[in-house]
Amino acid sequence: MKQMKQKRPEHRVTRALNDIMPKKKNEEKEQEDRTGVVRHQIYEYAHAILLQANSSGGDKMEEEEDTQVDQVKLIHLLGFLSKALCNAACFSTSERLSLGEDCVKLALSQITSMQKLGGSFTKVSNMLSKAMLMSATLSSLHASLESSEGEQEGEGEQERDFAARVLASLLQHKLQFPSSDASANNGQAAVMAECYILYGRCIVSSTEKLFSLATSTKSVQIGIKLLPLSISSLLQLVDSPYDMSAKTVSSEMTTLIRSVFSVPLSKMLLQSNNNSDAKDCIEKSLSALQRILVQSSHFKYHYEYLLPTLSSFLLVLLKSLKDKKHKDSKIHAQVKEWIAPTLEQLIQLHASPTMDASSKKSIEFVCSSVVEEVGCQEFLEMISLYNPTDTAALNAKKEDVVLSNDRAWILPIIKSSSSLTLNIPMNLSYFQSHVLAMARKMDAKTSGGGGGNKKKTRAEKAIYQSRVIELWSLFACFVGKPVDLEVSFMGVAGILVKAMGDSRYPQLVSIICTGLNALASGVLKRAEENENNDDADNNATSDPQADLDILSNVSTKLLPALFRMVENLHGTSTNPTDAAASKKSEKGDGGMDTDEEDDDEEKKSKQGLSPQDAMRVQSVIDAIAQLAKCCPRPFLQNLFKKVTQRLLLATQSSASDDGDDNEKNKNSEETDKICSLLGLAQALVSSQCLDENSISLLYRAVRPLVRTDEHNPSVQKKSYKVLVELCEKYTSFVTSDERLNEMTELMIGSIVTCQVSARHMRLKCVMFVVKGLDASNESHMRLKCVMFVVKGLDASNESHM
């Protein structure tokens, strides 16, 4: 009371808190003591009930109604435990494990009871109540395994022994309801399916518990021995009469594989001094999973769920190969030896006539996942593209068999999956020695070779030619990160040039140019990273600078060939002698062309550029733009000057549209020639490797073509495209003081003569010029206003068309 009468308020508050806090602490302690007593009493009660249930055994579960009433009470108790055992605050570790032991005994007694009864139940309700009791028991057991309580000192051994006993008990017994009730009503079937799911979850949780106890080596050893048996038991649960449980059990098995194989087993596998147990475990687990690939089994009805599980297992094994310290070790060969037979089984299963579309799609998913993980080269090394049991393969010579029809689906899968494998190192020599060798054999069959002198029908030729294209489409997969570019690319480059000139396979132009584009961009990127970071090449599989040097050397041979390809696609040739020599070389040794006559060049010149050829021209231009960045500057400047000179000559010799048919045909040829040269100039400009003199020369050559409408509209559109590249890539050139007024006059003076098809490109020119203007320069701002007016007029005219 004296303290409360203090004048200063803080003294009164302090005194009051000091008086209250001990009372609160005492109350909390008393509350904890009372909670502990209540918790222990609940444990004692639940333990006594479960002991009584276990002592009565499962033999009396079929008796009178009193027993059924006891079952209902027991189900209610187990329902409470399934919630309480998950909470660490409800029971101590020893109490939780004790109740878990009681649940294990109760579950096993019920399984034994059902095995004794076989399929005879006096009432349907008896079966339903029995299934509900089993479900409640397994749910409580699962909760005891999934407790969130952290591992404390001295409790790890208890957890290990408990998980080991649970897992061993569940593996020794097999949950199986009477087969006569497999077609029961929906409610009863749902409860039975739930029992299978919970049984599988208990197996998964107990197995994971053994591997999660990282401080106990003994628990991991026990888990390694029991893991294959766990997978086998889970597969038996998938093969149960209740389809609704197959999906969930398969998902649980996938979870087990990812959690167990990804960390503990992979580490043990990479330990050369202690990996025999891990190898044995993996081999037995894979052997268990391979049972699902047996065509006569019931697993084929669940491939939609089981094959992704198998895929997860294979991917976990393959990811262990990414450890750079063990990349060249025996483990690499060992894992491939494990996976190769499984892939072969999957491919053979895909050819089975009993497989439906959904199952085939699941197999394709597995193969696609493997390709994404290891790349197309290692995948092709692990499989065979021909089926030795195929009738056609048996009737043909061994050296003539390349690709079986029932395995042709593999090539599109590899191509579509390899878009994510560009960073996986591969050997370009493998593409040359294996893939191109198969392409040549398939091409030989189009002319009746490789399988006797029997003449092939048009449909057969089309099939073989499509196989050739599919094999060539893998080229882009091998150039993402080649490790032997310095050694192999020089020999491959000549083959690429010849293949692009094969008139029977026009699709190869886009395929090869796309690959060259990816190759050049990848080499440039790695060389730039290596230059900016001295440590970037510590783990590199090849020297980035050496790759850049070899690509620079080979580009001097590729670029002229690509230039000729653009002219050929346009149906023109600026140098007939070179074109004839090129055509002759394309039909030489190493190419796939034959002596068949075709007059595609003549037809192309009469019909003009087709949409397909237009797309191919663009792919060639893109490849030129990337290779130009690697090309030596003197060679590139010389090449550009030749293109510009030819462009000026072609522009001057271009005739008007008036005249007879011969003059019109000649004018059409000149138009195509100008368009092809403008396309080449556009590619070189986009590479941003030209000096100011070359840019100025091209600018003077393009200005007349933009200003006039005497030429074909396609010429003006192409000219505007070149001008767009100039304005975008060399903005400082077009916005310089001596040239900005010229650009303004050009944009204003060409409003009247601008063709409809070129208006969009014209707007882009104005946009890039406006973006490049200096806001602090008064003259630039005046010109900017003028450009905005021009842009507005162009946009208005375009919207009215």
Side-chain angles (χ1 to χ4, degrees):
M1 291 299 292
K2 291 181 181 180
Q3 290 294 333
M4 295 301 292
K5 292 179 180 179
Q6 290 286 340
K7 294 181 179 180
R8 298 177 62 181
E10 58 268 21
H11 286 179
R12 296 197 300 269
V13 173
T14 303
R15 181 59 181 174
L17 290 175
N18 290 335
D19 291 339
I20 295 172
M21 289 303 295
K23 295 180 179 180
K24 283 191 173 182
K25 290 181 179 179
N26 293 332
E27 290 178 358
E28 290 177 358
K29 186 177 181 181
E30 291 177 0
Q31 181 67 25
E32 289 180 1
D33 293 339
R34 288 195 297 268
T35 303
V37 172
V38 173
R39 184 176 63 181
H40 185 70
Q41 290 296 328
I42 294 175
Y43 159 72
E44 291 290 348
Y45 173 77
H47 181 59
I49 296 296
L50 292 176
L51 280 178
Q52 183 180 1
N54 286 325
S55 62
S56 63
D59 297 333
K60 298 182 180 179
M61 292 295 182
E62 275 298 296
E63 293 181 357
E64 304 297 332
E65 296 182 358
D66 294 338
T67 306
Q68 296 183 11
V69 174
D70 293 339
Q71 282 188 3
V72 174
K73 294 180 179 179
L74 185 58
I75 290 172
H76 290 166
L77 174 63
L78 291 170
F80 164 75
L81 291 178
S82 65
K83 300 295 188 296
L85 289 172
C86 294
N87 192 343
C90 293
F91 299 102
S92 64
T93 301
S94 58
E95 292 172 345
R96 174 174 57 84
L97 298 182
S98 177
L99 292 174
E101 295 278 6
D102 294 336
C103 292
V104 172
K105 294 177 182 178
L106 182 59
L108 297 182
S109 65
Q110 294 177 70
I111 293 175
T112 305
S113 173
M114 285 189 291
Q115 292 175 349
K116 290 180 179 180
L117 293 171
S120 60
F121 283 90
T122 57
K123 297 179 181 179
V124 176
S125 60
N126 290 351
M127 187 65 249
L128 179 59
S129 61
K130 198 173 189 65
M132 293 176 64
L133 179 59
M134 175 63 75
S135 176
T137 305
L138 293 174
S139 180
S140 299
L141 175 59
H142 181 254
S144 67
L145 292 165
E146 291 288 319
S147 175
S148 59
E149 184 177 3
E151 181 183 341
Q152 299 180 5
E153 186 178 356
E155 294 180 354
E157 187 175 352
Q158 297 180 29
E159 296 277 0
R160 180 199 67 200
D161 294 340
F162 172 67
R165 286 195 299 272
V166 171
L167 182 58
S169 300
L170 295 177
L171 295 179
Q172 288 176 0
H173 295 76
K174 180 181 178 182
L175 176 62
Q176 185 175 7
F177 289 101
S179 57
S180 58
D181 291 282
S183 59
N185 59 74
N186 293 335
Q188 183 172 324
V191 175
M192 295 178 182
E194 183 68 18
C195 291
Y196 284 103
I197 293 172
L198 290 171
Y199 198 86
R201 285 176 177 169
C202 290
I203 293 176
V204 171
S205 297
S206 56
T207 307
E208 288 180 339
K209 180 74 75 174
L210 290 174
F211 284 96
S212 64
L213 298 175
T215 58
S216 174
T217 306
K218 186 177 180 181
S219 65
V220 177
Q221 294 293 337
I222 296 174
I224 287 177
K225 292 180 180 179
L226 297 180
L227 181 57
L229 297 176
S230 300
I231 293 177
S232 298
S233 297
L234 291 172
L235 288 174
Q236 291 178 356
L237 295 175
V238 172
D239 198 21
S240 68
Y242 307 100
D243 295 337
M244 60 187 75
S245 63
K247 180 179 180 180
T248 306
V249 175
S250 300
S251 178
E252 292 291 335
M253 185 161 44
T254 303
T255 303
L256 174 64
I257 289 172
R258 289 175 178 172
S259 62
V260 171
F261 283 90
S262 59
V263 180
L265 274 179
S266 295
K267 289 183 178 180
M268 292 188 66
L269 183 63
L270 296 177
Q271 294 174 359
S272 57
N273 58 344
N274 186 27
N275 62 357
S276 57
D277 293 338
K279 285 183 178 180
D280 186 61
C281 176
I282 291 173
E283 289 177 354
K284 291 181 179 179
S285 299
L286 182 58
S287 177
L289 286 171
Q290 286 176 342
R291 289 167 43 204
I292 69 177
L293 302 180
V294 179
Q295 298 184 24
S296 59
S297 66
H298 296 286
F299 294 119
K300 60 184 178 182
Y301 302 111
H302 308 299
Y303 278 156
E304 182 181 359
Y305 317 123
L306 286 174
L307 290 179
T309 302
L310 178 60
S311 174
S312 299
F313 184 87
L314 298 179
L315 294 181
V316 167
L317 290 181
L318 293 172
K319 286 179 180 178
S320 65
L321 300 180
K322 289 189 174 181
D323 192 307
K324 296 177 182 177
K325 297 180 181 179
H326 300 82
K327 183 66 178 177
D328 299 325
S329 66
K330 296 180 180 179
I331 300 299
H332 188 91
Q334 180 67 69
V335 173
K336 290 176 64 175
E337 184 180 345
W338 286 332
I339 294 177
T342 306
L343 290 176
E344 184 64 26
Q345 282 183 278
L346 285 168
I347 294 172
Q348 290 181 359
L349 192 63
H350 189 280
S352 174
T354 59
M355 296 291 291
D356 56 7
S358 177
S359 300
K360 289 184 177 181
K361 190 174 181 179
S362 299
I363 294 176
E364 293 169 5
F365 170 77
V366 177
C367 294
S368 175
S369 300
V370 174
V371 174
E372 292 176 4
E373 192 64 36
V374 301
C376 58
Q377 178 178 336
E378 287 203 20
F379 182 78
L380 289 172
E381 290 174 351
M382 289 189 290
I383 67 166
S384 174
L385 289 176
Y386 69 90
N387 186 1
T389 62
D390 188 14
T391 305
L394 293 175
N395 295 334
K397 296 180 180 179
K398 183 178 180 180
E399 60 271 14
D400 293 336
V401 179
V402 180
L403 175 63
S404 300
N405 291 330
D406 57 4
R407 302 195 176 192
W409 58 271
I410 298 176
L411 295 178
I413 291 295
I414 295 176
K415 178 187 174 184
S416 61
S417 304
S418 296
S419 59
L420 303 176
T421 63
L422 296 180
N423 291 326
I424 297 179
M426 299 187 196
N427 293 291
L428 198 58
S429 58
Y430 184 89
F431 174 78
Q432 181 180 5
S433 60
H434 290 77
V435 180
L436 289 186
M438 289 189 288
R440 291 191 186 97
K441 289 183 179 181
M442 296 301 296
D443 177 71
K445 292 185 177 183
T446 61
S447 57
N453 297 323
K454 183 180 178 181
K455 188 175 181 179
K456 301 295 187 299
T457 64
R458 182 175 298 181
E460 290 175 331
K461 287 184 178 180
I463 292 174
Y464 290 135
Q465 288 178 347
S466 66
R467 299 285 186 267
V468 172
I469 295 171
E470 288 173 350
L471 288 167
W472 266 100
S473 65
L474 301 182
F475 172 64
C477 309
F478 284 85
V479 296
K481 195 175 182 181
V483 297
D484 58 345
L485 189 69
E486 188 177 1
V487 178
S488 304
F489 189 57
M490 184 68 74
V492 174
I495 300 175
L496 299 179
V497 173
K498 293 176 183 178
M500 285 191 292
D502 196 333
S503 59
R504 297 173 303 147
Y505 301 99
Q507 301 91 332
L508 294 184
V509 175
S510 299
I511 292 172
I512 294 174
C513 288
T514 301
L516 291 175
N517 195 342
L519 173 64
S521 60
V523 170
L524 287 169
K525 181 180 178 181
R526 289 190 292 274
E528 182 179 357
E529 292 175 351
N530 182 66
E531 183 179 355
N532 296 334
N533 186 4
D534 295 335
D535 299 330
D537 60 344
N538 288 342
N539 297 320
T541 53
S542 61
D543 184 7
Q545 188 58 44
D547 290 348
L548 182 59
D549 293 340
I550 189 65
L551 185 60
S552 176
N553 185 22
V554 177
S555 64
T556 59
K557 300 176 178 58
L558 286 175
L559 284 175
L562 293 175
F563 276 38
R564 289 194 298 269
M565 183 58 58
V566 173
E567 296 172 357
N568 292 338
L569 289 172
H570 278 279
T572 62
S573 178
T574 56
N575 193 335
T577 304
D578 292 344
S582 174
K583 186 174 181 180
K584 183 177 180 181
S585 65
E586 287 163 3
K587 293 185 178 183
D589 295 337
M592 292 188 299
D593 206 357
T594 61
D595 294 334
E596 296 178 358
E597 292 186 22
D598 62 38
D599 43 8
D600 291 345
E601 299 288 337
E602 184 179 353
K603 291 181 181 179
K604 195 177 296 182
S605 62
K606 292 181 180 179
Q607 297 176 358
L609 194 65
S610 65
Q612 293 83 0
D613 284 340
M615 295 176 63
R616 292 174 190 129
V617 167
Q618 187 59 47
S619 65
V620 177
I621 289 175
D622 293 340
I624 291 174
Q626 283 296 334
L627 287 173
K629 298 178 182 179
C630 310
C631 185
R633 292 297 177 90
F635 179 83
L636 185 65
Q637 299 294 342
N638 185 38
L639 202 61
F640 179 78
K641 288 180 181 179
K642 291 182 179 180
V643 172
T644 308
Q645 290 173 0
R646 291 179 181 180
L647 176 62
L648 292 172
L649 291 174
T651 303
Q652 293 172 1
S653 63
S654 177
S656 63
D657 291 341
D658 298 332
D660 56 17
D661 294 339
N662 292 331
E663 291 177 347
K664 289 182 179 180
N665 290 335
K666 183 178 179 181
N667 183 66
S668 177
E669 292 178 2
E670 294 295 336
T671 298
D672 290 338
K673 184 184 295 184
I674 294 173
C675 289
S676 65
L677 292 170
L678 288 171
L680 296 175
Q682 178 187 352
L684 295 177
V685 172
S686 63
S687 69
Q688 297 180 277
C689 297
L690 302 176
D691 57 16
E692 187 173 353
N693 293 331
S694 300
I695 294 300
S696 179
L697 178 63
L698 179 62
Y699 172 71
R700 291 196 302 269
V702 170
R703 280 190 63 190
L705 299 177
V706 170
R707 182 177 296 162
T708 182
D709 58 354
E710 295 179 358
H711 296 283
N712 191 282
S714 60
V715 173
Q716 190 182 68
K717 183 178 180 180
K718 278 283 186 181
S719 302
Y720 268 110
K721 285 186 175 181
V722 176
L723 193 59
V724 166
E725 293 291 339
L726 285 173
C727 295
E728 181 182 4
K729 302 296 191 305
Y730 298 90
T731 308
S732 59
F733 173 82
V734 297
T735 57
S736 60
D737 294 337
E738 65 273 14
R739 201 158 288 103
L740 187 57
N741 289 329
E742 292 181 8
M743 283 295 300
T744 306
E745 293 175 2
L746 179 62
M747 293 295 101
I748 296 175
S750 59
I751 292 178
V752 180
T753 58
C754 182
Q755 300 287 344
V756 176
S757 60
R759 286 179 179 174
H760 178 66
M761 291 293 125
R762 175 186 169 82
L763 280 173
K764 293 182 72 173
C765 287
V766 175
M767 180 186 67
F768 286 122
V769 172
V770 171
K771 284 184 177 181
L773 296 178
D774 186 6
S776 62
N777 192 321
E778 185 178 351
S779 61
H780 278 203
M781 289 300 96
R782 287 197 298 268
L783 289 174
K784 188 172 184 178
C785 295
V786 175
M787 285 293 188
F788 269 121
V789 173
V790 174
K791 185 177 179 181
L793 291 173
D794 286 344
S796 177
N797 291 334
E798 189 172 5
S799 63
H800 285 298
M801 293 305 297

